[in-house]
Amino acid sequence: NKLKFKNTRFENCILEEVDFTKTDLSNVVFENCDLNRAAFVNSILEHADFSTAFNFSIDPEMNRIKNAKFSSANISGLLDKYNIHIV
């Protein structure tokens, strides 16, 4: 936690239970990455690319996500805290 990974590219990674709390992930690409139980709290996710990432749960109210990229297939990872189902 509290690290700087600006402009980093993660490809085909399993990043389970990684603690990204207070981490700068600006312009990071998570290409085909499993983010199961990864913690994103007070993280900087601006311009980050999550379009092919999966199993993530990110609270937009607790992270800076301006201009981050998500796909329609994984957008539910932004809504987990609301306990709603997207069909």
Side-chain angles (χ1 to χ4, degrees), residues 51-85:
S51 58
T52 61
F54 53 96
N55 292 331
F56 62 83
S57 181
I58 298 170
D59 184 344
E61 295 175 19
M62 296 184 66
N63 295 281
R64 291 173 37 193
I65 63 168
K66 186 175 181 178
N67 294 311
K69 296 177 187 174
F70 300 91
S71 72
S72 58
N74 69 11
I75 198 77
S76 64
L78 296 174
L79 303 171
D80 288 338
K81 82 177 212 169
Y82 300 110
N83 197 25
I84 61 174
H85 301 280

Side-chain angles (χ1 to χ4, degrees), residues 18-36:
V18 175
D19 187 357
F20 288 122
T21 300
K22 296 182 182 177
T23 297
D24 187 348
L25 296 162
S26 303
N27 297 302
V28 167
V29 175
F30 290 101
E31 185 177 324
N32 197 37
C33 292
D34 186 350
L35 297 165
N36 192 32

